[in-house]
Coordinates of all heavy atoms in Angstrom, one line a residue:
M1 N -61.7 -8.3 0.9 CA -60.8 -7.6 1.8 C -59.7 -7.0 1.1 O -59.2 -5.9 1.4 CB -60.4 -8.6 2.9 CG -59.5 -7.9 3.9 SD -60.4 -6.7 4.9 CE -59.2 -6.2 6.0
R2 N -59.1 -7.7 0.1 CA -58.0 -7.2 -0.7 C -58.3 -5.8 -1.3 O -57.5 -5.0 -1.5 CB -57.6 -8.1 -1.8 CG -56.9 -9.3 -1.2 CD -56.4 -10.2 -2.4 NE -55.8 -11.4 -1.8 CZ -55.3 -12.3 -2.6 NH1 -55.2 -12.2 -3.9 NH2 -54.8 -13.4 -2.0
C3 N -59.6 -5.7 -1.8 CA -59.9 -4.4 -2.4 C -59.9 -3.2 -1.4 O -59.7 -2.1 -1.8 CB -61.3 -4.5 -3.1 SG -61.3 -5.7 -4.5
L4 N -60.2 -3.5 -0.2 CA -60.3 -2.5 0.8 C -58.9 -2.0 1.2 O -58.8 -0.8 1.6 CB -61.0 -2.9 2.0 CG -62.5 -3.1 1.9 CD1 -63.1 -3.6 3.2 CD2 -63.2 -1.7 1.5
V5 N -57.9 -2.8 1.2 CA -56.5 -2.4 1.6 C -56.0 -1.2 0.9 O -55.6 -0.2 1.5 CB -55.6 -3.6 1.6 CG1 -54.1 -3.1 1.9 CG2 -56.0 -4.7 2.6
P6 N -56.0 -1.2 -0.5 CA -55.5 0.1 -1.2 C -56.5 1.2 -0.9 O -56.0 2.4 -0.8 CB -55.5 -0.3 -2.6 CG -55.6 -1.8 -2.7 CD -56.2 -2.2 -1.4
F7 N -57.7 1.0 -0.8 CA -58.7 2.0 -0.5 C -58.5 2.7 0.8 O -58.3 3.9 0.9 CB -60.1 1.5 -0.6 CG -61.2 2.5 -0.4 CD1 -61.5 3.3 -1.4 CD2 -61.9 2.5 0.8 CE1 -62.5 4.3 -1.2 CE2 -62.9 3.5 1.0 CZ -63.2 4.3 -0.1
I8 N -58.3 1.9 1.9 CA -58.0 2.4 3.2 C -56.6 3.1 3.2 O -56.5 4.1 3.8 CB -58.2 1.3 4.3 CG1 -59.6 0.8 4.3 CG2 -57.6 1.7 5.6 CD1 -59.8 -0.4 5.1
G9 N -55.7 2.4 2.6 CA -54.3 3.0 2.6 C -54.3 4.3 1.9 O -53.6 5.3 2.3
G10 N -55.0 4.4 0.8 CA -55.1 5.7 0.1 C -55.7 6.8 0.9 O -55.3 7.9 0.9
H11 N -56.8 6.5 1.7 CA -57.4 7.5 2.5 C -56.5 7.9 3.7 O -56.4 9.1 4.0 CB -58.7 6.9 3.1 CG -59.9 7.0 2.1 ND1 -60.1 6.1 1.1 CD2 -60.8 8.0 2.0 CE1 -61.1 6.5 0.4 NE2 -61.6 7.6 1.0
A12 N -55.7 6.9 4.2 CA -54.8 7.3 5.3 C -53.7 8.2 4.8 O -53.3 9.1 5.4 CB -54.2 6.0 5.9
L13 N -53.2 7.9 3.6 CA -52.1 8.7 3.0 C -52.6 10.1 2.7 O -52.0 11.1 3.0 CB -51.6 8.0 1.7 CG -50.5 8.8 1.0 CD1 -49.3 8.9 1.8 CD2 -50.2 8.0 -0.3
L14 N -53.8 10.2 2.2 CA -54.4 11.5 1.9 C -54.6 12.3 3.1 O -54.3 13.5 3.2 CB -55.8 11.3 1.1 CG -56.5 12.6 0.8 CD1 -55.7 13.4 -0.2 CD2 -57.9 12.3 0.3
A15 N -55.1 11.7 4.2 CA -55.3 12.4 5.5 C -54.0 12.9 6.0 O -54.0 14.1 6.5 CB -55.9 11.4 6.5
G16 N -52.9 12.2 5.9 CA -51.6 12.7 6.3 C -51.2 13.9 5.5 O -50.6 14.8 6.0
M17 N -51.4 13.8 4.2 CA -50.9 14.9 3.3 C -51.8 16.2 3.6 O -51.3 17.3 3.5 CB -51.0 14.5 1.9 CG -49.9 13.5 1.5 SD -49.8 13.2 -0.3 CE -51.2 12.2 -0.6
L18 N -53.1 16.0 3.8 CA -53.9 17.1 4.1 C -53.6 17.9 5.3 O -53.7 19.1 5.4 CB -55.4 16.7 4.1 CG -56.0 16.3 2.8 CD1 -57.4 15.7 3.0 CD2 -56.0 17.4 1.8
G19 N -53.0 17.1 6.3 CA -52.6 17.8 7.5 C -51.5 18.8 7.2 O -51.3 19.8 7.9
A20 N -50.7 18.6 6.2 CA -49.6 19.5 5.9 C -50.0 20.5 4.9 O -49.2 21.4 4.5 CB -48.4 18.6 5.3
C21 N -51.2 20.5 4.5 CA -51.7 21.4 3.4 C -52.7 22.4 4.0 O -53.7 22.0 4.5 CB -52.3 20.6 2.3 SG -52.6 21.5 0.8
A22 N -52.4 23.7 3.9 CA -53.4 24.7 4.4 C -54.5 24.9 3.4 O -54.5 24.3 2.3 CB -52.6 26.0 4.5
A23 N -55.5 25.7 3.7 CA -56.7 25.8 2.9 C -56.3 26.4 1.5 O -57.1 26.1 0.5 CB -57.7 26.8 3.6
Q24 N -55.3 27.2 1.3 CA -55.0 27.7 0.0 C -53.9 26.9 -0.7 O -53.3 27.4 -1.7 CB -54.5 29.2 0.2 CG -55.7 30.0 0.7 CD -55.3 31.5 0.7 OE1 -54.1 31.9 0.5 NE2 -56.2 32.3 1.1
C25 N -53.6 25.8 -0.2 CA -52.6 24.9 -0.8 C -53.3 24.0 -1.9 O -54.4 23.7 -1.8 CB -52.1 24.0 0.3 SG -50.9 22.8 -0.1
V26 N -52.5 23.6 -2.8 CA -52.9 22.6 -3.8 C -52.2 21.3 -3.5 O -50.9 21.3 -3.4 CB -52.6 23.1 -5.3 CG1 -53.0 22.0 -6.3 CG2 -53.3 24.4 -5.6
L27 N -52.9 20.3 -3.4 CA -52.3 19.0 -3.1 C -52.2 18.2 -4.4 O -53.2 17.9 -5.0 CB -53.1 18.2 -2.1 CG -52.6 16.8 -1.7 CD1 -51.2 16.9 -1.1 CD2 -53.6 16.2 -0.7
T28 N -51.0 17.9 -4.9 CA -50.7 17.2 -6.1 C -50.6 15.8 -5.8 O -49.7 15.4 -5.1 CB -49.5 17.8 -6.8 OG1 -49.6 19.2 -7.0 CG2 -49.3 17.1 -8.2
I29 N -51.5 15.0 -6.4 CA -51.4 13.5 -6.2 C -50.8 12.9 -7.4 O -51.2 13.2 -8.6 CB -52.9 13.0 -6.1 CG1 -53.6 13.6 -4.9 CG2 -52.9 11.4 -6.0 CD1 -53.1 13.2 -3.5
G30 N -49.8 12.1 -7.2 CA -49.1 11.4 -8.3 C -49.6 9.9 -8.3 O -49.6 9.3 -7.3
I31 N -50.0 9.5 -9.5 CA -50.4 8.1 -9.7 C -49.5 7.4 -10.7 O -49.3 7.9 -11.8 CB -51.9 8.0 -10.0 CG1 -52.7 8.6 -8.9 CG2 -52.3 6.5 -10.3 CD1 -54.2 8.6 -9.2
V32 N -49.0 6.2 -10.4 CA -48.2 5.5 -11.3 C -48.9 5.2 -12.6 O -50.0 4.8 -12.6 CB -47.7 4.1 -10.7 CG1 -46.9 3.3 -11.6 CG2 -47.0 4.4 -9.4
P33 N -48.3 5.5 -13.7 CA -49.0 5.4 -15.0 C -49.0 4.0 -15.5 O -48.3 3.6 -16.5 CB -48.1 6.3 -16.0 CG -46.7 6.2 -15.4 CD -46.9 6.1 -13.9
Q34 N -49.8 3.1 -14.9 CA -49.9 1.7 -15.3 C -50.9 1.5 -16.5 O -51.0 0.5 -17.0 CB -50.3 0.9 -14.1 CG -49.2 0.9 -13.1 CD -49.6 0.1 -11.9 OE1 -50.7 0.0 -11.5 NE2 -48.6 -0.5 -11.2
T35 N -51.7 2.6 -16.7 CA -52.6 2.5 -17.9 C -52.4 3.8 -18.7 O -51.6 4.7 -18.3 CB -54.1 2.5 -17.4 OG1 -54.4 3.6 -16.6 CG2 -54.4 1.2 -16.5
S36 N -53.2 4.0 -19.7 CA -53.1 5.3 -20.5 C -53.5 6.5 -19.6 O -54.3 6.3 -18.7 CB -54.0 5.2 -21.7 OG -55.4 5.4 -21.3
P37 N -52.9 7.6 -19.9 CA -53.3 8.8 -19.1 C -54.8 9.1 -19.1 O -55.3 9.5 -18.1 CB -52.5 10.0 -19.8 CG -51.4 9.3 -20.5 CD -51.9 7.9 -20.9
W38 N -55.4 8.9 -20.2 CA -56.9 9.1 -20.3 C -57.7 8.2 -19.4 O -58.6 8.6 -18.7 CB -57.4 9.0 -21.7 CG -56.6 10.0 -22.6 CD1 -55.7 9.6 -23.6 CD2 -56.7 11.4 -22.6 NE1 -55.3 10.8 -24.2 CE2 -55.8 11.9 -23.6 CE3 -57.4 12.3 -21.8 CZ2 -55.7 13.2 -23.8 CZ3 -57.2 13.6 -22.1 CH2 -56.4 14.1 -23.1
A39 N -57.3 6.9 -19.4 CA -58.0 5.9 -18.5 C -57.7 6.2 -17.1 O -58.7 6.2 -16.2 CB -57.5 4.5 -18.9
L40 N -56.5 6.6 -16.7 CA -56.2 6.9 -15.4 C -57.0 8.1 -14.9 O -57.6 8.1 -13.8 CB -54.7 7.2 -15.3 CG -54.1 7.4 -13.9 CD1 -52.9 6.5 -13.8 CD2 -53.7 8.8 -13.7
A41 N -57.0 9.2 -15.7 CA -57.8 10.4 -15.3 C -59.3 10.1 -15.2 O -59.9 10.5 -14.3 CB -57.5 11.5 -16.3
R42 N -59.8 9.3 -16.1 CA -61.2 9.0 -16.1 C -61.6 8.2 -14.9 O -62.7 8.4 -14.3 CB -61.6 8.2 -17.4 CG -63.1 7.9 -17.5 CD -63.4 7.2 -18.8 NE -62.7 6.0 -19.0 CZ -61.8 5.7 -19.9 NH1 -61.5 6.7 -20.8 NH2 -61.2 4.5 -20.0
R43 N -60.7 7.3 -14.4 CA -61.0 6.5 -13.2 C -60.8 7.2 -11.9 O -61.5 7.0 -10.9 CB -60.2 5.2 -13.3 CG -60.7 4.3 -14.4 CD -59.9 3.0 -14.4 NE -60.3 2.3 -13.2 CZ -59.5 1.3 -12.8 NH1 -58.4 1.0 -13.3 NH2 -59.9 0.6 -11.7
R44 N -59.7 8.1 -11.9 CA -59.3 8.7 -10.6 C -59.9 10.0 -10.3 O -60.0 10.4 -9.2 CB -57.8 8.8 -10.5 CG -57.1 7.4 -10.7 CD -57.4 6.5 -9.6 NE -56.5 5.3 -9.7 CZ -56.9 4.1 -9.4 NH1 -58.1 3.9 -8.9 NH2 -56.1 3.1 -9.5
T45 N -60.2 10.8 -11.3 CA -60.7 12.2 -11.1 C -61.9 12.3 -10.3 O -62.0 13.1 -9.4 CB -60.9 12.9 -12.5 OG1 -59.6 12.9 -13.2 CG2 -61.4 14.3 -12.3
P46 N -63.0 11.4 -10.5 CA -64.1 11.5 -9.6 C -63.8 11.3 -8.1 O -64.3 12.0 -7.3 CB -65.1 10.4 -10.1 CG -64.6 10.2 -11.5 CD -63.2 10.4 -11.6
V47 N -62.9 10.4 -7.8 CA -62.5 10.1 -6.4 C -61.8 11.3 -5.9 O -62.1 11.8 -4.7 CB -61.6 8.9 -6.4 CG1 -61.1 8.7 -5.0 CG2 -62.4 7.6 -6.8
L48 N -60.9 11.9 -6.6 CA -60.1 13.1 -6.2 C -61.0 14.3 -6.0 O -60.8 15.1 -5.1 CB -59.0 13.4 -7.1 CG -57.9 12.3 -7.2 CD1 -56.8 12.7 -8.2 CD2 -57.3 12.0 -5.8
R49 N -62.0 14.4 -6.9 CA -63.0 15.5 -6.7 C -63.8 15.4 -5.4 O -64.0 16.3 -4.7 CB -63.9 15.6 -7.9 CG -63.3 16.2 -9.1 CD -64.3 16.5 -10.2 NE -63.7 17.0 -11.3 CZ -64.0 16.8 -12.6 NH1 -65.1 16.0 -12.8 NH2 -63.4 17.3 -13.6
A50 N -64.2 14.1 -5.1 CA -64.9 13.9 -3.9 C -64.1 14.2 -2.7 O -64.5 14.8 -1.7 CB -65.4 12.4 -3.9
W51 N -62.8 13.7 -2.7 CA -61.9 14.0 -1.6 C -61.7 15.5 -1.4 O -61.6 16.0 -0.3 CB -60.6 13.3 -1.8 CG -60.5 11.8 -1.5 CD1 -61.5 11.1 -0.8 CD2 -59.5 10.9 -1.8 NE1 -61.1 9.8 -0.7 CE2 -59.9 9.7 -1.3 CE3 -58.3 11.1 -2.5 CZ2 -59.0 8.5 -1.5 CZ3 -57.5 9.9 -2.6 CH2 -57.8 8.7 -2.1
S52 N -61.5 16.2 -2.5 CA -61.3 17.6 -2.5 C -62.5 18.3 -1.9 O -62.3 19.2 -1.0 CB -61.1 18.1 -3.9 OG -60.9 19.5 -3.9
A53 N -63.7 17.9 -2.2 CA -64.9 18.6 -1.7 C -65.0 18.3 -0.2 O -65.3 19.2 0.6 CB -66.1 18.0 -2.4
V54 N -64.7 17.1 0.3 CA -64.8 16.8 1.7 C -63.7 17.5 2.5 O -64.0 18.1 3.6 CB -64.7 15.3 1.9 CG1 -64.5 14.9 3.4 CG2 -65.9 14.6 1.3
A55 N -62.5 17.6 1.9 CA -61.4 18.1 2.7 C -61.3 19.6 2.6 O -60.6 20.3 3.4 CB -60.1 17.5 2.1
G56 N -61.9 20.2 1.6 CA -61.9 21.7 1.4 C -60.5 22.1 0.9 O -60.1 23.3 1.1
V57 N -59.8 21.3 0.2 CA -58.5 21.5 -0.4 C -58.5 21.2 -1.8 O -59.1 20.2 -2.2 CB -57.4 20.7 0.3 CG1 -56.0 20.9 -0.3 CG2 -57.3 21.1 1.8
R58 N -57.9 22.0 -2.7 CA -57.8 21.7 -4.1 C -56.8 20.5 -4.3 O -55.7 20.6 -3.8 CB -57.4 22.9 -4.9 CG -57.5 22.7 -6.4 CD -57.3 24.0 -7.2 NE -56.9 23.6 -8.5 CZ -55.8 23.9 -9.1 NH1 -54.9 24.7 -8.4 NH2 -55.5 23.5 -10.3
I59 N -57.3 19.5 -5.0 CA -56.4 18.3 -5.3 C -56.3 18.2 -6.8 O -57.3 18.2 -7.5 CB -57.0 17.1 -4.7 CG1 -57.2 17.2 -3.2 CG2 -56.2 15.8 -5.1 CD1 -57.9 16.0 -2.5
A60 N -55.0 18.1 -7.2 CA -54.7 18.0 -8.6 C -54.1 16.6 -8.9 O -53.3 16.2 -8.1 CB -53.8 19.1 -9.1
L61 N -54.5 16.0 -10.0 CA -53.9 14.7 -10.4 C -52.8 15.0 -11.4 O -52.9 15.8 -12.3 CB -55.0 13.9 -11.1 CG -54.6 12.6 -11.8 CD1 -54.0 11.6 -10.7 CD2 -55.7 12.0 -12.6
R62 N -51.7 14.3 -11.1 CA -50.5 14.4 -12.0 C -49.9 13.1 -12.1 O -49.6 12.4 -11.1 CB -49.5 15.5 -11.5 CG -48.4 15.7 -12.4 CD -47.7 17.0 -12.1 NE -46.6 17.1 -13.0 CZ -45.3 17.4 -12.6 NH1 -45.1 17.6 -11.4 NH2 -44.4 17.5 -13.5
S63 N -49.6 12.7 -13.3 CA -48.9 11.4 -13.5 C -47.6 11.7 -14.4 O -47.1 12.7 -14.3 CB -49.8 10.4 -14.2 OG -49.2 9.1 -14.2
A64 N -47.3 10.7 -15.2 CA -46.1 10.9 -16.0 C -46.3 10.0 -17.3 O -47.1 9.1 -17.2 CB -44.8 10.5 -15.3
P65 N -45.6 10.3 -18.3 CA -45.8 9.4 -19.5 C -45.2 8.0 -19.4 O -45.7 7.1 -20.0 CB -45.0 10.2 -20.6 CG -44.1 11.1 -19.9 CD -44.7 11.4 -18.6
T66 N -44.2 7.8 -18.5 CA -43.7 6.5 -18.3 C -43.5 6.3 -16.8 O -43.4 7.2 -16.0 CB -42.3 6.3 -19.0 OG1 -41.4 7.2 -18.4 CG2 -42.4 6.6 -20.5
I67 N -43.3 5.0 -16.4 CA -43.0 4.7 -15.0 C -41.7 5.3 -14.6 O -41.5 5.8 -13.5 CB -43.1 3.2 -14.7 CG1 -44.6 2.7 -14.9 CG2 -42.6 2.9 -13.3 CD1 -44.8 1.3 -14.8
H68 N -40.7 5.2 -15.4 CA -39.4 5.8 -15.1 C -39.5 7.3 -14.8 O -38.9 7.8 -13.9 CB -38.4 5.5 -16.3 CG -37.0 6.1 -16.1 ND1 -36.2 5.6 -15.1 CD2 -36.4 7.1 -16.6 CE1 -35.1 6.3 -15.1 NE2 -35.2 7.2 -16.0
R69 N -40.2 8.0 -15.7 CA -40.4 9.5 -15.4 C -41.1 9.7 -14.1 O -40.8 10.7 -13.4 CB -41.1 10.1 -16.6 CG -40.4 10.2 -17.9 CD -39.5 11.4 -18.0 NE -40.1 12.7 -17.9 CZ -40.6 13.4 -18.9 NH1 -40.7 12.9 -20.1 NH2 -41.1 14.6 -18.7
F70 N -42.1 8.9 -13.9 CA -42.9 9.0 -12.6 C -41.9 8.8 -11.4 O -42.0 9.6 -10.5 CB -44.0 7.9 -12.6 CG -44.7 7.9 -11.3 CD1 -45.7 8.9 -11.0 CD2 -44.4 7.0 -10.3 CE1 -46.4 8.9 -9.8 CE2 -45.1 7.0 -9.1 CZ -46.1 8.0 -8.8
E71 N -41.1 7.8 -11.5 CA -40.1 7.6 -10.4 C -39.1 8.8 -10.2 O -38.8 9.2 -9.1 CB -39.3 6.3 -10.7 CG -40.2 5.1 -10.5 CD -39.5 3.8 -11.0 OE1 -38.4 3.9 -11.7 OE2 -40.0 2.7 -10.6
Q72 N -38.7 9.4 -11.3 CA -37.9 10.6 -11.3 C -38.6 11.7 -10.6 O -38.0 12.4 -9.7 CB -37.5 11.0 -12.7 CG -36.5 10.1 -13.3 CD -36.2 10.5 -14.8 OE1 -37.0 11.2 -15.4 NE2 -35.0 10.2 -15.3
R73 N -39.9 11.9 -10.9 CA -40.7 13.0 -10.3 C -40.9 12.7 -8.8 O -40.9 13.6 -8.0 CB -42.0 13.1 -11.0 CG -41.9 13.7 -12.4 CD -43.2 13.8 -13.1 NE -43.0 14.3 -14.4 CZ -43.9 14.4 -15.3 NH1 -45.2 14.1 -15.0 NH2 -43.7 15.0 -16.5
V74 N -41.1 11.5 -8.4 CA -41.2 11.1 -7.0 C -39.9 11.4 -6.3 O -39.9 12.0 -5.2 CB -41.5 9.6 -6.8 CG1 -41.4 9.2 -5.3 CG2 -43.0 9.3 -7.3
A75 N -38.8 11.1 -6.9 CA -37.5 11.4 -6.3 C -37.2 12.9 -6.1 O -36.6 13.3 -5.1 CB -36.3 10.8 -7.1
R76 N -37.8 13.7 -7.0 CA -37.7 15.2 -6.9 C -38.7 15.8 -6.0 O -38.8 17.0 -5.8 CB -37.8 15.8 -8.3 CG -36.6 15.6 -9.2 CD -36.7 16.6 -10.4 NE -38.1 16.6 -11.0 CZ -38.4 16.1 -12.1 NH1 -37.5 15.5 -12.9 NH2 -39.6 16.3 -12.6
A77 N -39.6 14.9 -5.4 CA -40.7 15.4 -4.6 C -41.7 16.3 -5.3 O -42.1 17.3 -4.8 CB -40.2 16.0 -3.3
D78 N -42.0 16.0 -6.6 CA -42.9 16.8 -7.4 C -44.4 16.6 -6.9 O -45.2 17.4 -7.3 CB -42.8 16.4 -8.9 CG -41.6 16.9 -9.5 OD1 -40.8 17.6 -8.9 OD2 -41.4 16.6 -10.7
Y79 N -44.7 15.6 -6.2 CA -46.0 15.3 -5.7 C -46.1 15.7 -4.2 O -45.2 15.6 -3.5 CB -46.4 13.9 -5.9 CG -46.2 13.4 -7.3 CD1 -45.2 12.4 -7.6 CD2 -46.9 13.9 -8.4 CE1 -45.0 12.0 -8.9 CE2 -46.7 13.5 -9.7 CZ -45.7 12.5 -9.9 OH -45.5 12.1 -11.2
G80 N -47.3 16.2 -3.9 CA -47.5 16.6 -2.5 C -48.1 18.0 -2.4 O -48.6 18.5 -3.4
P81 N -48.0 18.6 -1.2 CA -48.6 20.0 -1.1 C -47.7 21.0 -1.8 O -46.5 21.0 -1.7 CB -48.5 20.2 0.4 CG -48.1 19.0 1.1 CD -47.6 18.0 0.0
V82 N -48.4 21.9 -2.5 CA -47.7 23.0 -3.1 C -48.4 24.3 -2.7 O -49.6 24.4 -2.8 CB -47.9 22.9 -4.7 CG1 -47.2 24.1 -5.4 CG2 -47.2 21.6 -5.1
R83 N -47.7 25.3 -2.3 CA -48.2 26.5 -1.8 C -48.2 27.6 -2.9 O -47.4 27.6 -3.7 CB -47.5 27.0 -0.6 CG -47.7 26.0 0.5 CD -47.2 26.6 1.9 NE -47.2 25.5 2.9 CZ -48.3 25.1 3.5 NH1 -49.5 25.5 3.1 NH2 -48.2 24.1 4.4

């Protein structure tokens, strides 16, 4: 059950963001850099591609070199819908 909570939460969050994103919008997803950027991209890109195909919206993965930089980008609202 613990494995399903982040999965379900991620889908609910994505659904909310897609509501604010039109068909020509790019949805930028930010993921906390808890692993190397290569490992993060290798694990998350297939999921984001599947979500993108289902939703009909382009989804881009963006992280940061450190958690501190990631937090700064979150504070600036760098992640989310971009027109």
